Amino acid sequence: MARGRKRKAGRRHPSGKLVQPSAAETQREAMATVLEARQRHYGVTARQARDERLGTALGRLAFGEVITSEQYAAGQKYAEIHHRHHAVLGWPMPFPASVTGILASDGVLGGSGAPPSRELVEKMRRHYGAVLDVLDQCDRDRLDAPGKAPSVLAYRLVCLDEDAGGWPQADLTNLALVLDALADLFGIARDAHRKVLT
């Protein structure tokens, strides 16, 4: 009977050492695994699995046409402002870490470690304050309506990446309302009379 570990499969150098895959090969293998998982989990074709929207709960609603492209863009902008505000002020980030990872790769997080300028802090407070005002107004508008508060739904979907596939229609209605209001704030919709956050 043979002793020791079972020999690992794979290509080998003449010395017998395993040939390590290149970074490109490793990345291709990882992407293939992701695409296969998306096909299996979401019931999409191989081509549809490449759609980047399937990577987030917000994007999956847009992919399934539960929300409009304008609402999707508003949700993305809300996530950006929320995370930038927290990063600039040094507040803890909500999970998932993948959103934080995206921001870090864009240079939003990390960096030199120098404190942010007063102008940047004031700008982020102003932008975040405007977002909070919109969320608060949506909550007040839907105070007696069925379903959860629009601000809670937006936070859970966009910032916590909570899957909304099983949400009741009342919650989806409230979510659409808050995303429309955020789209108005960010100037995403085409109406010329909407206020724009600058």
Side-chain angles (χ1 to χ4, degrees):
M1 179 177 244
R3 294 179 169 250
R5 289 188 310 179
K6 183 177 177 182
R7 186 176 170 102
K8 292 182 180 178
R11 292 183 306 141
R12 295 186 175 272
H13 292 287
S15 66
K17 185 176 178 181
L18 278 171
V19 175
Q20 297 299 318
S22 68
E25 289 174 328
T26 304
Q27 188 174 10
R28 274 196 303 272
E29 289 173 9
M31 182 54 82
T33 302
V34 168
L35 295 178
E36 182 184 325
R38 285 181 179 176
Q39 290 176 60
R40 190 175 58 252
H41 192 68
Y42 303 122
V44 295
T45 65
R47 185 175 182 182
Q48 290 172 326
R50 292 188 174 277
D51 192 318
E52 66 182 27
R53 295 176 298 175
L54 290 174
T56 64
L58 176 70
R60 287 189 293 276
L61 288 183
F63 179 82
E65 299 181 353
V66 176
I67 61 174
T68 66
S69 59
E70 292 82 8
Q71 291 168 334
Y72 175 57
Q76 289 182 305
K77 183 70 173 173
Y78 167 49
E80 177 188 334
I81 289 176
H82 179 86
H83 285 85
R84 283 182 188 263
H85 172 267
H86 282 48
V88 167
L89 271 64
W91 292 7
M93 293 291 177
F95 290 98
S98 60
V99 176
T100 304
I102 291 169
L103 292 172
S105 68
D106 289 340
V108 176
L109 305 178
S112 67
S117 68
R118 178 174 289 164
E119 294 80 20
L120 178 60
V121 169
E122 287 306 313
K123 178 180 178 182
M124 292 317 304
R125 283 185 173 152
R126 189 175 71 249
H127 285 192
Y128 193 64
V131 168
L132 291 179
D133 289 344
V134 167
L135 297 176
D136 183 55
Q137 183 61 50
C138 288
D139 285 353
R140 282 186 270 130
D141 290 346
R142 301 294 290 178
L143 198 57
D144 296 326
K148 293 180 181 63
S151 64
V152 171
L153 296 169
Y155 178 78
R156 285 170 49 187
L157 177 74
V158 174
C159 300
L160 301 181
D161 200 37
E162 181 179 311
D163 187 53
W167 286 6
Q169 187 55 50
D171 285 354
L172 294 175
T173 299
N174 289 344
L175 177 67
L177 173 100
V178 72
L179 291 176
D180 283 339
L182 288 169
D184 289 349
L185 175 68
F186 301 139
I188 292 170
R190 296 181 182 151
D191 188 346
H193 300 292
R194 300 178 190 228
K195 76 177 172 180
V196 179
L197 183 64
T198 57

